[in-house]
Amino acid sequence: MGQMNRRTVRDLRRGNRSTLLRQLYFQGPVSRQELGTLTGLSSGSVSNVVGELLADGLVEEAGSVESDGGRPRTLLRVAPGSGHLIGVDVGETHVRVELFDLTLTELARWEHPLTPGGLEREPEPVVGHILTGLDAVVAKSGAEPGKVIGVGVGVPGVVEQGDEALVHGPTAGRDAVPLERLLRTGTELPLFIDNGATAQGQAEMWFGAGRGADNAVIALIGSGVGAAIVTAGMPYRGATSSAGEWGHTVVQVGGRACRCGAVGCLEAYVGAQAVLDRYGRRAGGVYGGAEEDAAAAGVGAGAGARVGAAAGVGACLGAGEDQQAAFAAIVGAAGTEARAREVLEETAAYLGAGIADLINLFNPERIILGGWAGLLLGGRMLPRIRAATAAYALHRPYAQTEIGLAELGPDAVALGAATLPLAHFLATGRAR
């Protein structure tokens, strides 16, 4: 019984520590008196826990404010340099590694491009790039490895959480990749692996367009299409952590082939490569029927690129420049070129139908459109996307949903990944 009581007291102190640390992180700088009001803890508990946090170097004084008729109140905040966070974005075209301080100020970055469909996208080379990037950002920033709280890794596909994290990526033809075990061969840093859209969604909820909302969907469009679903302030993962594969919901029975192996998926209509393929086909009218579906799956991408280049997108498609530049060229051409405008109008209609599904299923307060392609589309077509959504969604839930753009930028997966070890830090109240 005595041991149980001691464990209970220890758990209570750990909980109080986490509670205060979260308030200091998201609300700071604040005074001890304000912490008591924010947390409901007694002044004695606040004083004791703050003393521990100051002694551990996790919290520091940040000036003072005048009080009514009394001594000035000292303000407290989480010490930015008391620990470091690393975020890794394993994208379709790159591996990006970024190192941050505790306030998520970027201190170092390393990036390696990947050739779409190339051998470098195999698990072992990708792991090698991640490990190289970890060493590079630690060396570049001068951070002490012992002060790195953890490494968050955002990946495409389904991440199965268990004794070790397994990554299932049907669009890349991979199943049950033991990513955590592979990374363990080259680093002893704490690892936190999750779907990139889920991680980026958490960052938007904490620091971006999702702040203040309890129920939201962060819809991300890039090379692929995914979503982070937040209900009652918590990410919704489903029974086996595969929730959020929004890009593989069907919008057209018997429609265009998707790289996941199915047909008619939303990604096959609004994903960046799908838009490029449709623009290329319409430019010359050379595809149709089964050949058109082959192009949608990537078989005809080269021919589509050549046709698109000849028709006005320019060297972005024809000379094999990166996908983002080619996509941006189509968006930029929509103001003056009927073909580009037609493709984007069609894309907005499909996207509106997909967003309507999210509204009808989850009844969110906000739909936040992000990802590099989503921001390009939304920046030009947001009114059209909203109108298309209204046409397909139930009237009342649509009227209660805000649809806006993400605020953390087009390439926020690494930042989102860094929130994975940050969440662990705030939950435990300890750096390591």
Side-chain angles (χ1 to χ4, degrees):
M1 180 64 73
Q3 184 177 359
M4 183 178 296
N5 287 338
R6 285 195 298 273
R7 186 163 60 248
T8 301
V9 170
R10 186 164 57 248
D11 291 343
L12 180 62
R13 292 182 66 84
R14 186 181 298 117
N16 289 346
R17 185 181 175 102
S18 173
T19 298
L20 285 174
L21 199 55
R22 287 185 67 87
Q23 292 298 331
L24 284 165
Y25 192 86
F26 291 108
Q27 304 297 332
V30 293
S31 67
R32 290 172 175 80
Q33 290 84 350
E34 290 172 307
L35 282 173
T37 302
L38 290 168
T39 63
L41 296 176
S42 68
S43 59
S45 294
V46 170
S47 180
N48 288 337
V49 174
V50 166
E52 292 177 4
L53 294 171
L54 285 167
D56 291 344
L58 299 179
V59 169
E60 65 184 15
E61 295 184 354
S64 62
V65 293
E66 297 294 330
S67 60
D68 296 333
R71 297 172 57 189
R73 294 181 177 180
T74 300
L75 298 177
L76 304 166
R77 67 179 181 188
V78 171
S82 61
H84 296 94
L85 306 161
I86 295 178
V88 179
D89 172 12
V90 180
E92 306 232 3
T93 59
H94 63 260
V95 174
R96 180 181 296 126
V97 183
E98 299 177 31
L99 184 142
F100 306 87
D101 68 15
L102 264 185
T103 61
L104 290 177
T105 298
E106 183 183 313
L107 302 179
R109 172 185 293 218
W110 178 92
E111 185 167 347
H112 183 86
L114 299 177
T115 303
L119 293 177
E120 275 196 312
R121 295 189 65 218
E122 295 291 323
E124 289 76 10
V126 168
V127 167
H129 296 321
I130 294 173
L131 294 174
T132 298
L134 294 181
D135 290 340
V137 295
V138 170
K140 184 176 180 180
S141 66
E144 299 176 26
K147 292 183 70 174
V148 176
I149 293 171
V151 178
V153 184
V155 296
V158 176
V159 179
E160 180 183 346
Q161 305 289 354
D163 293 336
E164 64 174 358
L166 302 176
V167 179
H168 305 271
T171 58
R174 300 288 176 265
D175 191 54
V177 175
L179 182 59
E180 183 175 359
R181 187 193 318 162
L182 293 172
L183 288 172
R184 279 275 160 252
T185 63
T187 183
E188 296 181 355
L189 295 173
L191 296 172
F192 303 84
I193 301 171
D194 210 337
N195 173 267
T198 300
Q200 188 171 348
Q202 178 166 267
E204 281 289 341
M205 292 299 293
W206 283 5
F207 309 111
R211 286 173 295 183
D214 289 325
N215 298 278
V217 179
I218 298 88
L220 301 170
I221 302 173
S223 300
V225 176
I229 302 160
V230 178
T231 61
M234 299 296 293
Y236 176 74
R237 297 181 178 277
T240 58
S241 298
S242 68
E245 291 295 327
W246 175 53
H248 302 291
T249 56
V250 176
V251 294
Q252 177 68 61
V253 174
R256 300 183 75 234
C258 180
R259 57 185 180 156
C260 74
V263 295
C265 294
L266 179 65
E267 183 175 300
Y269 292 88
V270 306
Q273 189 58 52
V275 175
L276 296 179
D277 287 344
R278 292 207 316 280
Y279 180 90
R281 287 202 307 281
R282 296 197 177 194
V286 297
Y287 295 135
E291 191 174 4
E292 184 172 287
D293 282 341
V299 176
R306 288 191 294 275
V307 173
V313 169
C316 288
L317 286 172
E321 294 286 334
D322 67 62
Q323 188 182 66
Q324 294 189 26
F327 192 91
I330 293 178
V331 173
T336 56
E337 186 184 300
R339 182 169 55 257
R341 184 164 55 252
E342 181 185 2
V343 171
L344 291 192
E345 286 281 344
E346 183 183 67
T347 301
Y350 278 112
L351 181 53
I355 292 174
D357 287 342
L358 294 174
I359 291 174
N360 292 344
L361 283 170
F362 298 106
N363 186 210
E365 301 164 63
R366 298 178 196 170
I367 297 285
I368 300 164
L369 182 60
W372 63 265
L375 289 173
L376 282 169
L377 278 172
R380 184 169 194 93
M381 306 291 292
L382 190 57
R384 179 69 184 90
I385 293 167
R386 286 172 174 157
T389 303
Y392 293 107
L394 293 171
H395 174 72
R396 181 167 177 78
Y398 170 78
Q400 297 172 328
T401 304
E402 299 175 11
I403 302 176
L405 300 181
E407 295 178 356
L408 298 182
D411 297 308
V413 174
L415 176 68
T419 69
L420 302 175
L422 175 60
H424 177 77
F425 165 70
L426 296 175
T428 61
R430 297 191 178 279
R432 289 290 287 268

